[in-house]
């Protein structure tokens, strides 16, 4: 249920941040181009990697642990292998004339290592999977990315 998922996010995020000794004030770098299928000449999604500077795979570990807790609680199915952290750059699904794959070879050859920039990660959001008419997901819960307070 939505209420259970919201409650899970509120309790799991601080706990995971503390378990991983994750600092507050995380900043992500959005860089490099990849595609989500096996054929670079027929791509539906071109995306960029998202990672935290100087923290290795910390952001991936946070996402994977959060995913595992949602699966364990029965709030989502465990069919997928995990979470693919990314920022979509081009998605053909949003085209007015339907999904038409494009050839991404040239853009990857010339801009494959491009750094798009950095952005702060103040929170983790739970969004409904069906976006609005503009393609944006509705945020149903938001939790600060900060470790749980430690007790003495």
């Amino acid at each position: 249920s939505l209420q259970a998922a919201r409650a899970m996010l509120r309790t799991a995020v601080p706990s995971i941040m503390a378990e991983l000794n994750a600092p507050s004030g995380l900043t992500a770098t959005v860089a490099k181009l990849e595609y989500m299928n096996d054929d670079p000449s027929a791509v539906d999604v071109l995306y960029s990697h998202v990672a935290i500077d100087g923290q290795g795979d910390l952001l991936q570990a946070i996402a994977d642990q959060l995913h595992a807790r949602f699966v364990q609680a029965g709030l989502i199915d465990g069919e997928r292998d995990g979470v693919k952290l990314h920022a979509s750059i081009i998605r053909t699904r949003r085209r007015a004339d339907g999904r038409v794959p494009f050839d991404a070879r040239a853009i990857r050859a010339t801009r494959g290592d491009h750094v798009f920039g950095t952005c702060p990660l103040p929170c983790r959001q739970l969004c409904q999977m069906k976006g609005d008419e503009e393609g944006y997901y509705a945020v149903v819960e938001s939790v600060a990315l900060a470790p749980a307070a430690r007790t003495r």
Side-chain angles (χ1 to χ4, degrees):
S1 82
L2 181 57
Q3 294 304 330
R6 292 174 71 185
M8 172 64 73
L9 189 72
R10 285 191 302 267
T11 59
V13 168
S15 173
I16 291 168
M17 296 291 287
E19 289 170 16
L20 295 174
N21 291 319
S24 298
L26 298 174
T27 299
T29 296
V30 181
K32 299 187 179 183
L33 292 173
E34 293 293 338
Y35 49 91
M36 286 197 185
N37 65 337
D38 295 332
D39 183 359
S41 69
V43 172
D44 287 318
V45 178
L46 185 70
Y47 70 93
S48 183
H49 294 272
V50 179
I52 298 174
D53 291 334
Q55 296 288 328
D57 293 328
L58 177 61
L59 189 58
Q60 186 67 54
I62 294 167
D64 289 343
Q65 285 196 27
L66 191 56
H67 178 264
R69 291 188 191 197
F70 271 74
V71 170
Q72 289 169 348
L75 296 169
I76 58 175
D77 63 44
E79 290 180 15
R80 296 188 178 167
D81 291 336
V83 177
K84 180 185 280 284
L85 297 174
H86 70 283
S88 294
I89 305 298
I90 299 173
R91 288 180 14 186
T92 61
R93 182 170 53 135
R94 298 297 305 157
R95 288 176 52 140
D97 56 349
R99 184 173 284 199
V100 178
F102 66 96
D103 190 334
R105 292 177 291 192
I107 194 170
R108 281 203 60 233
T110 59
R111 300 281 188 239
D113 290 329
H114 183 74
V115 177
F116 292 93
T118 61
C119 60
L121 297 175
C123 63
R124 184 75 170 130
Q125 297 176 332
L126 178 65
C127 300
Q128 290 182 330
M129 288 301 292
K130 293 196 178 186
D132 63 16
E133 60 277 350
E134 298 294 319
Y136 295 103
Y137 300 120
V139 177
V140 296
E141 189 68 45
S142 183
V143 177
L145 277 177
R150 298 186 191 273
T151 57
R152 295 180 192 248

